[in-house]
Amino acid sequence: MSEHSAVTVVASDLDRTLIYSAGALGLTVPDAEAPRLLCVEVYEGKPLSYVTERAAELLVELGRRAVFVPTTTRTREQYGRVRLPGPAPTYAICANGGHLLVDGVSDPEWARGVRERLDAECAPLGEVRERMVAAADPEWLLKERVAEELFAYLVVDRARLPAGWVKELGEWAAGLGWGVSLQGRKVYAVPKPLTKGAAAREVARRVGAGQVLGAGDSLLDADLLLAVDRGWRPGHGELADAGWVSSRVTVLEERGVVAGEAVVRGFLGAL
């Protein structure tokens, strides 16, 4: 990346970093003092995800001043439900880096390259999915899904999930070139070569970025935070629980939806 380029790429995770479901808002102030919220996602006719109104205003400014790249583990269909304030992003990263969207359409060359790396470097999805489901208990397993034929995840009753189950699955998966992440009610099994960071670097290359900023809250965001020039993580989430730090990453005190606002403030402050 050229130091003389004025272009900044901002690659940010969405769920529990920028946008928050009602159950993840994490508001600790009295109701009368709670920030006004803007709904940015509707699912089955019901509001699902929110940002603060101030965060919405800041996102509009960010979209004018930088190449903003929503960066998510969501499938393309799930990402399509999100309506963030500001100009429509030219680039978006879905399926944890499996799809690089350009004006809403998956770049076929990028997707083909991802498939080739997965075939060469890790065990097949079917093997990992089978073990993952077999190891789960129907008492706490609510759903199991495959995303974009790239990775698998379980929806679980978090309160009943046994302590140590995710760690044990992760140790097994690591030997096959896969990683495991627990985010809210979802347990993800994702191939290690499938990364948000690689896709963010590709966007930076295409636009000739002089600076890349990023944010995330989960273990699936760690490679992204290590790939950027400056990063931010909320005071909640997998990375916070693990005490994950990096010299280039600012650890925010804020938790919940107000952390999303703090993330965008951090981005704008770095421009």
Side-chain angles (χ1 to χ4, degrees):
M1 293 178 289
S2 169
E3 294 182 357
H4 301 292
S5 174
V7 177
T8 294
V9 164
V10 176
S12 181
D13 175 51
L14 294 181
D15 295 280
R16 295 175 181 253
T17 297
L18 280 188
I19 69 176
Y20 292 79
S21 67
L25 291 176
L27 294 172
T28 58
V29 298
D31 291 346
E33 299 174 18
R36 288 167 59 93
L37 302 175
L38 175 70
C39 177
V40 294
E41 179 184 14
V42 173
Y43 180 55
E44 295 183 344
K46 298 178 181 179
L48 184 60
S49 298
Y50 304 85
V51 298
T52 69
E53 284 194 347
R54 181 56 181 154
E57 295 169 358
L58 296 174
L59 280 168
V60 173
E61 181 181 353
L62 182 67
R64 290 197 296 256
R65 297 177 57 189
V67 179
F68 174 58
V69 185
T71 305
T72 180
T73 305
R74 287 176 175 236
T75 64
R76 287 170 289 174
E77 180 182 1
Q78 292 166 340
Y79 168 68
R81 300 195 302 255
V82 178
R83 293 290 183 267
L84 294 172
T90 300
Y91 295 97
I93 295 166
C94 293
N96 214 64
H99 287 282
L100 175 57
L101 306 190
V102 184
D103 293 324
V105 178
S106 180
D107 182 303
E109 184 176 349
W110 176 261
R112 182 168 55 251
V114 168
R115 296 280 183 178
E116 291 173 353
R117 288 196 298 276
L118 299 190
D119 290 342
E121 298 177 25
C122 55
L125 169 62
E127 179 181 347
V128 175
R129 177 192 185 190
E130 182 178 350
R131 167 62 184 268
M132 193 179 189
V133 174
D137 190 323
E139 287 194 0
W140 48 261
L141 175 61
L142 305 178
K143 301 176 185 177
E144 65 96 5
R145 295 287 186 269
V146 167
E148 303 271 18
E149 296 301 321
L150 291 169
F151 61 90
Y153 66 92
L154 308 179
V155 181
V156 303
D157 182 339
R158 183 73 178 261
R160 295 186 176 187
L161 184 67
W165 188 87
V166 172
K167 180 180 179 182
E168 182 179 342
L169 180 69
E171 291 172 349
W172 173 83
L176 300 179
W178 287 64
V180 173
S181 172
L182 174 62
Q183 301 179 39
R185 298 191 307 141
K186 293 181 180 179
V187 180
Y188 292 91
V190 178
K192 290 184 178 179
L194 187 67
T195 68
K196 297 176 181 179
R201 286 192 293 270
E202 174 63 11
V203 174
R205 184 192 68 80
R206 293 188 184 192
V207 303
Q211 178 179 226
V212 183
L213 310 177
D217 71 298
S218 80
L219 291 175
L220 293 178
D221 298 313
D223 75 278
L224 172 65
L225 293 175
L226 293 173
V228 301
D229 298 302
R230 289 187 63 185
W232 287 261
R233 73 159 174 83
H236 62 258
E238 263 190 322
L239 295 178
D241 292 343
W244 187 94
V245 295
S246 167
S247 60
R248 290 177 290 178
V249 176
T250 298
V251 177
L252 298 169
E253 294 182 0
E254 292 87 349
R255 301 168 60 90
V257 70
V258 294
E261 183 177 319
V263 165
V264 188
R265 290 183 189 278
F267 290 150
L268 288 168
L271 292 179

